[in-house]
Amino acid sequence: MATKTHWEVENNLHWMLDIAFSEDACQTKNDNAAENLSTLRRIALNILQLDKASKRSMRGKRKKAGWSNSYLSRLLKSFIVTGA
């Protein structure tokens, strides 16, 4: 059961990255660029998933963040981790 759950989570993550960020279409082959871009996409996905105020799709949230500096700023401020 744990294996099935793991693969469901893994497949959903990759599906979301491909749909929202067109990850499979990325053909970056320069040194560590592919791994770095993958990490940034996952961070962006997590930030967008934390936004419960907007009812837009993941792609819609990405576009809105690109068009609106105030929305982008709100997303980034909500993601800042404080204290340790």
Side-chain angles (χ1 to χ4, degrees), residues 16-34:
M16 184 60 72
L17 286 169
D18 190 34
I19 295 301
F21 294 91
S22 301
E23 188 174 54
D24 288 348
C26 181
Q27 296 184 1
T28 304
K29 293 178 176 42
N30 185 350
D31 297 332
N32 296 327

Side-chain angles (χ1 to χ4, degrees), residues 1 6-7 11 30 33 44 51 57 59 69-70 72 75 78:
M1 184 66 174
H6 166 77
W7 283 111
N11 288 336
N30 185 350
D51 178 33
S57 67
R59 184 174 287 175
N69 286 337
S70 62
L72 177 60
L75 286 174
S78 70

Side-chain angles (χ1 to χ4, degrees), residues 61-75:
K61 289 179 183 182
R62 273 189 65 213
K63 285 185 176 184
K64 185 177 178 181
W67 293 327
S68 169
N69 286 337
S70 62
Y71 179 67
L72 177 60
S73 178
R74 185 168 51 91
L75 286 174

